[in-house]
Amino acid sequence: MTILWKKDGTSVDDALHRFMNSRDVEADRELFLFDIHATAAHVRGLGRIGLLSDSDVSTLCAELSRLGDRFSNGEFLLDERFEDAHSAIEFELTATLGELGRRVHAGRSRNDQVQVALRLYMKDRLVRAHDHICDIAKRLLTRAEREHDVPMPGYTHLQRAVPSSAGLWLAGIAESFLDSADACAFAHTRVDSCPLGTAAGYGVNLRLDRQGVSTELEFARLQVNPLAVQNARGKYELAVLDALGSALLDVRRFAWDLSLFATSEFGFVTFASEFTTGSSIMPNKRNPDVVELLRTSSAEVEGARTQIAQTLSLPSGYQRDLQATKAPFIRAVETTLAALVVTERLVDGFALQHERMRAAIDADMFATDRAVELVTNGVAFRDAYLKVARDLGALWDRTPEESLVARVSPGACADLCLDELQARLGLAINRLKRSPL
Ligand code: ARG
């Protein structure tokens, strides 16, 4: 075991060490490279205020980069020997560079160190999620264009309501994802502040070049107050999960629609075979397991949000409880990314059964069209409504296609405003910059 804070009179108990650290070390594997990156910036900052010489800085940075490589290729394992990624990095630097490694921690605490690694991780994953969400929206819009005039029943209360189109359904899901892309961009702006250089939560008696370090790490601003940094832990995680959770609500709705439309009762959707599995006992079955597992991803993120929110019932400043926000957070983020990658593929992974969808539009569903037509002839809407309700049989000779071309309100079937949605997508794409890692 390698313990940073070991000094005379302290003892370490194996079982208690494992209780406190073993799961945390696993979560820290996701943060390790971000910590290396931030540690190099911290080292250069110490150089700028004269605490390390130029050659110390370059020796340390070269060793940090080597450690990052050793970690990436599996030569260095972050495991239970260590309390966390932070102490592991310092230990390794000291093991290879001796006394120089022992100088690195001047002016910082693990409390701001963990946060800077988490912020870099959050920003990186938000950009990735945002890119996937934009790609999902793009694919949905392409498909909406291709099938814009394909009739499909529109439901409310899961009851047949009015004729609609595949284009309207697909573009509707695309626009929801565009909202979620915005949510990721907002969350990114919110967490884009540098906590490094606030130490344990009360600053240090050194004129640290905090702004320089922040700029080097490409943060938009400094998080100024050291205690505000500690009090943001968990809260920022919730902001990120709020944005990702929004995307997973879209995924869940899309998956729900698909699994419903794929039932024999609907018969609107057939999946590409890789999106289905068989049953171990029922030879006839093809099950939509992929969409079902996509549907449940949102539950995991919601669970993580609850766990984090409960953990935050704390006074100001660092408390070790805060560590317990890390593992659920990282797991939820990684689950979201995996779900988004699969959703990207899913958009083109099913066929719509045009004839079945058209045949499910029955004559009663033209009632609203008829009532609105009477309004354009000067009848008050409530009177038109009653008149049409009295004689639904008169609607038998209408076709879904006629209904769709007449639905000209902006955004509706005859005018899906796909250009507007494409323009919004165009502004969203590349608005967040990938991190250098
Ligand atoms: N693993 C710890 C966490 O995530 C790192 C910070 C430890 N700080 C401390 N004062 N023990 O919170």
Side-chain angles (χ1 to χ4, degrees):
M1 256 188 284
T2 60
I3 304 294
L4 274 184
W5 42 264
K6 207 154 171 221
K7 49 188 181 257
D8 295 345
T10 55
S11 62
V12 179
D13 176 292
D14 263 4
L16 297 182
H17 171 83
R18 267 199 306 281
F19 167 72
M20 290 188 288
N21 306 313
S22 59
R23 280 197 302 180
D24 193 49
V25 164
E26 267 174 50
D28 273 4
R29 289 183 192 144
E30 291 292 348
L31 302 183
F32 194 83
L33 293 177
F34 295 106
D35 196 342
I36 293 264
H37 187 57
T39 299
H42 173 70
V43 161
R44 282 191 277 269
L46 292 181
R48 287 194 293 278
I49 60 167
L51 283 188
L52 292 171
S53 70
D54 287 352
S55 85
D56 289 347
V57 170
S58 40
T59 308
L60 282 165
C61 289
E63 196 49 41
L64 280 165
S65 140
R66 219 173 62 84
L67 177 56
D69 293 344
R70 283 171 55 219
F71 173 80
S72 299
N73 66 28
E75 225 177 283
F76 173 75
L77 189 63
L78 180 60
D79 61 16
E80 291 189 354
R81 287 171 298 156
F82 303 99
E83 272 192 290
D84 46 40
H86 326 301
S87 46
I89 291 171
E90 185 174 330
F91 177 83
E92 285 299 303
L93 288 178
T94 305
T96 41
L97 303 176
E99 202 254 353
L100 185 53
R102 297 167 70 82
R103 293 177 177 274
V104 166
H105 208 56
R108 75 173 178 183
S109 148
R110 282 180 294 171
N111 297 357
D112 59 340
Q113 191 177 354
V114 61
Q115 292 229 50
V116 72
L118 275 164
R119 299 278 167 94
L120 293 170
Y121 169 81
M122 288 175 191
K123 286 176 58 184
D124 179 83
R125 298 305 197 260
L126 279 171
V127 176
R128 290 187 200 205
H130 179 270
D131 287 355
H132 290 305
I133 294 167
C134 286
D135 189 59
I136 293 167
K138 183 167 170 229
R139 289 167 188 245
L140 284 163
L141 288 176
T142 304
R143 194 156 177 185
E145 179 78 60
R146 203 166 64 232
E147 291 174 286
H148 73 277
D149 56 356
V150 174
M152 180 177 188
Y155 298 90
T156 70
H157 311 259
L158 275 183
Q159 305 292 320
R160 288 179 179 176
V162 292
S164 183
S165 65
L168 186 138
W169 174 61
L170 292 161
I173 295 167
E175 191 169 353
S176 303
F177 273 108
L178 289 175
D179 284 346
S180 296
D182 286 351
C184 288
F186 295 148
H188 189 276
T189 305
R190 176 144 175 223
V191 306
D192 197 3
S193 65
C194 185
L196 196 56
T198 55
Y202 299 93
V204 285
N205 44 341
L206 286 173
R207 285 203 186 280
L208 294 172
D209 178 16
R210 288 197 62 202
Q211 186 55 57
V213 170
S214 168
T215 306
E216 187 180 327
L217 291 172
E218 300 189 9
F219 282 104
R221 62 185 185 283
L222 272 187
Q223 191 165 28
V224 177
N225 183 292
L227 204 52
V229 167
Q230 292 311 314
N231 294 349
R233 183 133 183 227
K235 230 172 98 187
Y236 278 20
E237 281 79 345
L238 288 177
V240 172
L241 293 187
D242 201 33
L244 300 182
S246 163
L248 288 188
L249 288 181
D250 303 330
V251 167
R252 184 166 73 178
R253 183 106 55 191
F254 184 39
W256 233 130
D257 283 356
L258 287 170
S259 63
L260 187 67
F261 293 157
T263 58
S264 313
E265 284 70 15
F266 276 84
F268 296 175
V269 162
T270 47
F271 291 109
S273 101
E274 66 271 22
F275 285 96
T276 63
T277 62
S279 154
S280 65
I281 177 172
M282 297 169 280
N284 55 320
K285 292 297 297 287
R286 293 305 292 173
N287 298 319
D289 296 32
V290 176
V291 293
E292 291 169 325
L293 288 170
L294 280 178
R295 195 164 56 194
T296 194
S297 332
S298 151
E300 190 171 328
V301 171
E302 288 309 307
R305 269 161 54 149
T306 305
Q307 189 175 345
I308 293 168
Q310 290 303 314
T311 304
L312 293 186
S313 173
L314 294 170
S316 281
Y318 181 81
Q319 331 286 335
R320 189 69 181 265
D321 314 47
L322 291 169
Q323 171 176 296
T325 60
K326 196 196 299 165
F329 174 66
I330 289 177
R331 212 171 37 242
V333 169
E334 299 305 318
T335 296
T336 305
L337 284 167
L340 292 174
V341 169
V342 172
T343 306
E344 267 174 321
R345 290 182 57 187
L346 180 62
V347 175
D348 296 304
F350 64 92
L352 287 173
Q353 302 305 310
H354 296 183
E355 279 315 308
R356 282 285 296 222
M357 297 198 302
R358 190 179 190 283
I361 297 173
D362 58 32
D364 286 3
M365 295 172 79
F366 299 111
T368 309
D369 284 350
R370 180 65 193 138
V372 175
E373 279 163 22
L374 291 176
V375 166
T376 57
N377 295 338
V379 181
F381 179 76
R382 194 52 56 211
D383 297 329
Y385 176 98
L386 292 174
K387 183 171 161 40
V388 176
R390 274 194 297 270
D391 192 11
L392 289 174
L395 301 166
W396 64 270
D397 60 346
R398 294 177 171 240
T399 69
E401 287 76 8
E402 284 162 5
S403 173
L404 300 197
V405 294
R407 200 82 54 73
V408 292
S409 59
C413 300
D415 184 14
L416 290 172
C417 301
L418 295 181
D419 290 351
E420 266 175 57
L421 296 177
Q422 290 285 6
R424 188 172 162 199
L425 173 65
L427 290 177
I429 288 174
N430 297 329
R431 74 179 141 186
L432 296 183
K433 209 162 117 294
R434 288 298 280 259
S435 75
L437 290 188

